[in-house]
Every structure is written in C-alpha cells, then in structure tokens.
Amino acid sequence: MRAIECTIRSILPGSSCPWFTRPMSQLAELASRIARHAVTDSRPQWIEGILVFSAKQVTAPMGSVTEPMFTLVVRGAKRTILGDHVFEHGAGKAAVVTVELPLIGQIVEAPFLALGIRLEPATIAQLMVDGGPTTIRPHEGPGMAVSDADEKLLDAIVRLMRLLDDPRDLRVLGPAVRREIHWWLLNGPQGPMIRQAGIADSRLALVARAIAWIRTRYDRVIRIDDLASDIGTSVSSLNRHFRAVTAMSPLQYQKQIRLQKARLHLIAAPHDVAAIGYSVGYDNPSQFSREYRRMYGAPPGQDAIRLQTMAIVQE
C-alpha cells in the first residue's frame, strides 16, 4: 500500500518518496555494473569472488546443485524449484541457500541480471560472537528462502560492486564489506536460517555433512544406515532433518543428483543414453529412462535434443 501511495504522490509536483526511490537507484546502479562485468550471456561468472550473471532471454528449466550462497536479482525474474517448494525471485529479491541443494531454475522474465556471494560459516559464527547474546527463534523450513533486500543490504552490495573497479581497493576493503553483508543477512528476514549455518552442531550442519557424503557416492548404491552411522546420528533423526532442509529424502536427493548430472552429459551427447545412464549409477537402462522421464517430462534422448534447440542456463 505504501508503494502504491508513494507512486501516486511521486507524479504530483514537488512530491517524492526517498524510501522508495533509494532502493530503485541502488538496483539501477547494480544493473549497470553487472552488465559491464558479465560479458558471457546465460552463464555465471565469478569475478574476484563475486558471481555476476546476465541473460538476454528467458530459459528452459535447468537443474543444478547450488552451493551455500546469497544471490540478488537486480533485473528480470526467475523461478526456482526445490522439491515441492516454488520460489519466485523478482528485482530486489534476495535468495539465501544454506546447504548444497539440487535446484531447478528458470528465467521467466528477461533481460535478467543477478549477482551473488558465497556464504561463509566462519564469518557468520564470528558475527554471532561479536554481536552478543540474542533471542534466536528456530528455523524449521527448507534450506532456501527468498525475501526483499532492504536498503542497508543493498547499500553494502553496491559498495562491494564498486570495489571491482580497483583490485587494490577490493583486496583491502572487500573483506570488511563482505562481513557487513553477512551481518545484514544475519539480522534480516532469514536471520534464523543464516544463524544455523554458523553453528557447527546445528540441523543445517548435520544435513550438510549428509549431503557431502551422498555427493561423493551419488553413482553407487547407498544404505541409509551407513550414512547415519558415518555422520553420527540416528536414521530417524537423519530422515527428519534431511527432509525438512532439502524437501526430499536422502535417496531422493541422490536420484536428483544422478539425473541432473545425466542431463548435463546428454546435452553434449544426446545419442549416448545408455552409457550416460550407466555412468551416473543406473545399471538398468529402462529404469534410467523411466525415472528421467518422470522428472523432466520426456525420455533422455528426446529431452537432450530439445534442450539443444532452446536457451538454457547453467547455474
């Protein structure tokens, strides 16, 4: 309602809404700087530890495993799917991912510009110590969330992007600005989830260990008893926490990793379906084709040929 009232007043002589125009000017500057640095279309680029991304057109849905990080959509819009959770990111929306999650992303409005930085658990932990005791409500949702980026967070991001113009400035001043960004995230809407990322014995930390275990064995037959034993928890606790954070079971997570890797391989070799299925852990070609079709809506070879003719984004 405030935004509507502000928009109406802003068209009247002598009227303005600084609280509204300030974030818009920050996003405009970020858009200009991202466009200047993101020289490759539809592929993320890491520049001095900052992810910049640009796409000129909408894309087909594409799977990826996203590491723990913070991202900000500056222009356009994107849709991300995690299990049965659907996240919509428009301009000014900040997304936080606290563990390695298999996501399906699609740009739904272009041109699209975004940036991101990796989350640093050690920095989060130190900020929790430096900030002193505070009441922490538990985070019960998945390990991903989307919310509005406020002016303080945007201001710090703008200053970090400006530092890209001078490597010496970035080297000396960058760490402090990254720390500040973590502070605003820690004290923002997703604070409870960010805090868990900095606690070594938190639910997120347990799930992160389980994810690392699965990813090193994604192409093998795994037993949940072995996984629970190796990371030091019970099967029931593992299943409960894993599903809460990732929106899927450990075996479903492994299946998504297998199928995502297979899909990427098939783009390059669409006619080698059986060999690719075997390489990601499927001994039975029929099972591979059946599970692939269930996830992506088409048999492996057909889907790969379709992807080659469409704009895709690899995250």
Side-chain angles (χ1 to χ4, degrees), residues 181-198:
I181 290 171
H182 279 73
W183 175 253
W184 297 129
L185 291 172
L186 188 61
N187 289 279
Q190 308 310 330
M193 185 170 68
I194 296 290
R195 288 176 183 275
Q196 285 196 19

Side-chain angles (χ1 to χ4, degrees), residues 76-244:
K78 177 182 179 182
R79 179 176 298 120
T80 301
I81 299 173
L82 169 64
D84 57 357
H85 297 276
V86 179
F87 301 90
E88 303 286 350
H89 322 233
K93 292 288 187 179
V96 173
V97 176
T98 51
V99 293
E100 294 178 319
L101 295 175
L103 305 176
I104 297 176
Q106 178 181 17
I107 294 171
V108 294
E109 180 184 324
F112 181 83
L113 296 168
L115 59 80
I117 64 170
R118 293 183 176 94
L119 290 180
E120 302 170 2
T123 298
I124 295 169
Q126 187 61 55
L127 286 170
M128 291 170 61
V129 172
D130 294 345
T134 185
T135 301
I136 304 175
R137 69 181 189 277
H139 172 72
E140 301 296 342
M144 178 180 178
V146 176
S147 59
D148 291 326
D150 63 21
E151 185 176 334
K152 293 177 180 178
L153 178 59
L154 289 174
D155 180 64
I157 296 168
V158 168
R159 285 185 278 111
L160 182 63
M161 287 298 292
R162 288 173 181 168
L163 294 177
L164 286 179
D165 291 336
D166 190 320
R168 293 177 68 250
D169 291 345
L170 181 63
R171 186 168 59 251
V172 174
L173 302 176
V177 182
R178 292 175 190 274
R179 175 182 164 89
E180 181 185 349
I181 290 171
H182 279 73
W183 175 253
W184 297 129
L185 291 172
L186 188 61
N187 289 279
Q190 308 310 330
M193 185 170 68
I194 296 290
R195 288 176 183 275
Q196 285 196 19
I199 301 174
D201 61 350
S202 70
R203 178 186 65 166
L204 285 179
L206 182 147
V207 174
R209 294 197 300 273
I211 285 172
W213 192 95
I214 294 170
R215 293 197 66 189
T216 61
R217 300 166 175 81
Y218 78 90
D219 56 348
R220 310 179 211 168
V221 176
I222 63 173
R223 297 179 66 253
I224 301 303
D225 288 348
D226 293 338
L227 168 55
S229 175
D230 284 357
I231 66 172
T233 190
S234 67
V235 170
S236 61
S237 179
L238 167 66
N239 283 327
R240 182 174 68 256
H241 293 316
F242 198 97
R243 186 175 291 277

Side-chain angles (χ1 to χ4, degrees), residues 10 21 47 49 181 198 204 308:
S10 67
T21 57
I47 302 174
I181 290 171
L204 285 179
Q308 289 180 324

Side-chain angles (χ1 to χ4, degrees), residues 298-311:
Q302 181 180 325
D303 180 58
I305 294 172
R306 179 183 63 182
L307 284 173
Q308 289 180 324
T309 65
M310 299 175 68

